[in-house]
Amino acid sequence: MPASQDLSSTAIVLVHGSWHGAWCWKRVLPLLRGAGVDAHAVTLTGVGERAHLLSPMVGINTHIQDVIGLIEAEELERVVLVGHSYAGNLITCVADRLQRSHPGLLQHLVYLDAGIPDPGNSWSTPHSAETVAKRAAEAQQSSGGLSFPPPDASVFGLEGADRDWVNRRQTPQPYRLYHETLLFDPALVWSLPHSFIDCTNPPLATIDAARKRVRSEPGWTVYELATGHDPMVSAPRELAQLLLKVHSSCR
């Protein structure tokens, strides 16, 4: 194949979910890089080591630019884009932008136990009324509506040292993101190969709509991992193997 199509030129970009940061991929990145893959993890504005940048202005467009900014700064020419949890919504919007500005750059979208929006949805759209009300109340009580606090990491199926590791690092999530309208052209986005990794043990309830959708719509490749919602922590080797499998399909 031409040099530009060599798999070594295809990078994997990892985008964390809510309350997390690039730190959550610490166990996965060495496995991907050890297999010869150019792998990167972005920290989104307002969380992780960028928590000091939290402000009422942090919204979906901020996070879109965070991801595109990494791709541009690293001068990546071919990318498998992985979005965990909340970042399923984000990578959908990123894909729309990049399909318009850099067609051919994105090779595959991977939704890692992640939300999958329709145009005009918000992150909160598939959630129960109880979950929406709970997050609104937590945001108001904890920060006057600026952010909402992380749950105990046990809800991600983590325990012991793994649970403690994640609890120490989680930071509040910008609340504006929860209700922002997501705008994108589904024809542009879903023309890309797209996969879903379903974390089944224990399954996180807020991902239920997505896991049902990928089994009822054509075009999805579905993988299962018998672990909780944070597989990059609880099953890093198994997750890395799946990501390398997707990467190897990008020919």
Side-chain angles (χ1 to χ4, degrees):
M1 66 181 69
S4 63
Q5 299 300 304
D6 192 283
L7 280 177
S8 64
S9 70
T10 302
I12 294 179
V13 173
L14 305 167
V15 188
H16 63 82
S18 48
W19 308 298
H20 287 37
W23 57 264
C24 73
W25 305 102
K26 184 176 182 178
R27 301 174 183 179
V28 173
L29 281 169
L31 299 173
L32 299 177
R33 291 169 177 165
V37 174
D38 185 19
H40 304 265
V42 62
T43 292
L44 302 172
T45 300
V47 292
E49 75 272 18
R50 305 184 73 200
H52 63 289
L53 299 176
L54 176 63
S55 80
M57 301 304 294
V58 175
I60 191 67
N61 285 326
T62 316
H63 285 180
I64 291 170
Q65 190 52 52
D66 288 334
V67 178
I68 294 177
L70 180 142
I71 291 171
E72 291 178 341
E74 297 291 342
E75 297 184 332
L76 305 180
E77 297 180 355
R78 289 162 52 88
V79 170
V80 173
L81 188 59
V82 182
H84 174 237
S85 196
Y86 147 74
N89 298 307
L90 174 56
I91 67 168
T92 303
C93 296
V94 169
D96 176 88
R97 297 278 182 93
L98 288 177
Q99 286 284 77
R100 297 172 191 273
S101 63
H102 295 84
L105 186 150
L106 291 179
Q107 299 298 303
H108 204 113
L109 301 176
V110 180
Y111 291 76
L112 175 55
D113 221 37
I116 306 167
D118 285 317
N121 282 176
S122 67
W123 173 11
S124 62
T125 297
H127 294 174
S128 68
E130 180 183 8
T131 296
V132 173
K134 179 176 182 287
R135 290 186 170 173
E138 289 175 341
Q140 192 59 42
Q141 292 165 9
S142 66
S143 63
L146 177 62
S147 63
F148 56 106
D152 188 276
S154 60
V155 305
F156 307 142
L158 300 175
E159 55 187 22
D162 286 346
R163 174 191 171 193
D164 294 343
W165 188 72
V166 171
N167 278 341
R168 288 196 304 271
R169 287 160 173 77
Q170 291 194 108
T171 51
Q173 180 78 357
Y175 183 65
R176 174 179 171 181
L177 294 161
Y178 195 55
H179 290 291
E180 265 193 300
T181 300
L182 305 171
L183 301 175
F184 61 92
D185 182 346
L188 279 178
V189 174
W190 306 127
S191 66
L192 292 165
H194 44 282
S195 299
F196 187 86
I197 300 177
D198 186 1
C199 298
T200 62
N201 187 26
L204 191 69
T206 53
I207 307 299
D208 282 348
R211 57 175 54 98
K212 292 175 183 175
R213 175 174 177 171
V214 298
R215 289 173 170 84
S216 63
E217 286 185 357
W220 287 95
T221 301
V222 181
Y223 303 97
E224 292 187 2
L225 280 179
T227 190
H229 185 60
D230 267 13
M232 69 288 290
V233 178
S234 57
R237 190 165 299 279
E238 293 84 352
L239 174 58
Q241 288 172 348
L242 277 183
L243 295 180
L244 290 172
K245 182 176 182 178
V246 171
H247 181 269
S248 68
S249 72
C250 298
R251 297 183 182 275

